[in-house]
Amino acid sequence: MDQERKNKVLPYLMLMPAMAVMMIVVIYPIFSCIVTSFTQEEAGGFGFENYLYFLADPMQLTNIGYTLAIVVITVVLAVGIAYLLSMYLRFSNSRVSRWIGKLYLLPRFIPGLVAVNGMITIISNSGLLNRLSRLFGMDWELGLMYDAKGIILMNLWFNIPFAAMMMGAAMSAINDSEIEAAKDVGAGKLKIFYKIILPLTYRDIFISATFVFMSNISSFTTPYLMGGNYPTMMGVTMYNLYGNQHFGRSAALSVIMFILSALSAVMYIYVNMRKDQWEKN
């Protein structure tokens, strides 16, 4: 009986160090942030003042809408381009596709701050492209700095390789025999795509979209360096609030970002729960 009890207790004892670390670095900060978000700065005590601030202030509502617009556009473009790229790499055997297959992940190995600074030196109104255009008597200003278009462009740099890597794994699971069998019975490229490729990979489209959404909803470096003064994305807004010692409001905004991320996580959970049923169909 003693040995049996030890065998039951030992796994929990081995998990305790990891659980302790998680409590310290994850659970406690989240709990503390939630408590702080309900701490009223002006009236004192606890209440919903900090959350009502974001619902009542037109500037803050604009910042939230601006953030969601950039993130949704980033998700649609990044996932769409990555899907086409992964499909091209899977079904093409040309020299170009092989080179792209070796190089498309390079942006993932460049530090974010270095990549953003490099992009600024190229696309700013006095950057590389502008200076090159002046050699031909032009003054080419892209207008991407301090604008949503520049932030989206930088987001695509970071997220297309990541999404393509995820969907490339799904593409690699498609058997060549299935494609060849469809061709043998006269199926065209579009029919093969809609009847074979898309049904086997659209689960990974949702999963990739979830991760791209979650990684961009709280982004800071890109919008801080390339965005304008107003409107600002929520990560920059939270930084400004915290810098002005509005700790309760910044905590409330972090909770709002967490809720938005959790809503996207629901899609991820739903897709995984429906996986077996989709595969049967």
Side-chain angles (χ1 to χ4, degrees):
M1 288 297 295
D2 291 339
Q3 185 63 36
E4 185 177 350
R5 289 177 181 175
K6 289 180 181 180
N7 292 337
K8 290 182 179 180
V9 174
L10 184 60
Y12 296 100
L13 293 176
M14 296 178 67
L15 285 173
M16 283 183 65
M19 291 298 298
V21 172
M22 184 176 294
M23 289 291 295
I24 295 172
V25 303
V26 179
I27 305 300
Y28 174 75
I30 291 175
F31 178 77
S32 176
C33 181
I34 293 174
V35 172
T36 304
S37 71
F38 288 102
T39 303
Q40 299 182 141
E41 298 180 2
E42 298 179 359
F46 292 93
F48 292 93
E49 174 190 286
N50 298 320
Y51 292 96
L52 293 176
Y53 168 74
F54 292 100
L55 297 176
D57 191 328
M59 292 182 61
Q60 298 303 328
L61 287 174
T62 300
N63 289 337
I64 294 174
Y66 178 74
T67 301
L68 291 175
I70 289 178
V71 172
V72 170
I73 293 173
T74 298
V75 169
V76 172
L77 291 178
V79 172
I81 295 172
Y83 189 84
L84 295 176
L85 175 62
S86 62
M87 189 164 55
Y88 170 72
L89 295 177
R90 170 63 180 84
F91 297 106
S92 175
N93 196 31
S94 65
R95 182 177 297 179
V96 174
S97 67
R98 290 195 295 270
W99 272 103
I100 294 176
K102 295 176 182 178
L103 299 176
Y104 81 98
L105 282 177
L106 281 180
R108 299 295 301 174
F109 298 97
I110 300 176
L113 191 60
V114 175
V116 174
N117 183 66
M119 183 67 75
I120 291 173
T121 61
I122 294 174
I123 68 172
S124 64
N125 291 340
S126 60
L128 176 62
L129 293 179
N130 179 264
R131 293 196 295 271
L132 289 175
S133 69
R134 292 184 180 183
L135 297 176
F136 299 95
M138 298 181 291
D139 188 14
W140 192 18
E141 295 184 357
L142 299 178
L144 296 176
M145 284 299 299
Y146 314 117
D147 189 85
K149 295 189 293 292
I151 298 175
I152 293 170
L153 178 64
M154 197 70 244
N155 288 344
L156 295 179
W157 164 274
F158 289 119
N159 291 283
I160 288 176
F162 171 73
M165 179 179 63
M166 293 190 65
M167 289 186 284
M171 292 286 180
S172 63
I174 300 175
N175 295 324
D176 291 331
S177 58
E178 296 176 347
I179 305 298
E180 295 299 327
K183 290 180 179 179
D184 291 341
V185 297
K189 292 182 179 179
L190 285 177
K191 194 166 187 178
I192 292 174
F193 173 74
Y194 284 112
K195 295 295 185 181
I196 298 177
I197 298 175
L198 186 59
L200 293 175
T201 56
Y202 66 85
R203 168 180 168 268
D204 299 271
I205 294 175
F206 287 109
I207 294 176
S208 300
T210 299
F211 281 104
V212 172
F213 182 92
M214 294 176 67
S215 64
N216 284 275
I217 194 68
S218 59
S219 61
F220 173 76
T221 303
T222 299
Y224 182 75
L225 296 176
M226 299 183 67
N229 293 325
Y230 177 77
T232 58
M233 293 188 68
M234 287 193 287
V236 178
T237 302
M238 185 172 68
Y239 171 80
N240 293 333
L241 289 170
Y242 192 87
N244 292 322
Q245 298 188 352
H246 294 298
F247 304 121
R249 291 175 180 176
S250 63
L253 186 57
S254 67
V255 173
I256 292 172
M257 287 192 290
F258 175 78
I259 292 172
L260 292 173
S261 297
L263 292 176
S264 66
V266 170
M267 175 63 70
Y268 173 79
I269 296 171
Y270 174 78
V271 169
N272 278 282
M273 291 177 62
R274 300 277 294 179
K275 175 184 176 181
D276 295 336
Q277 183 175 348
W278 288 347
E279 290 178 349
K280 290 178 182 177
N281 295 333

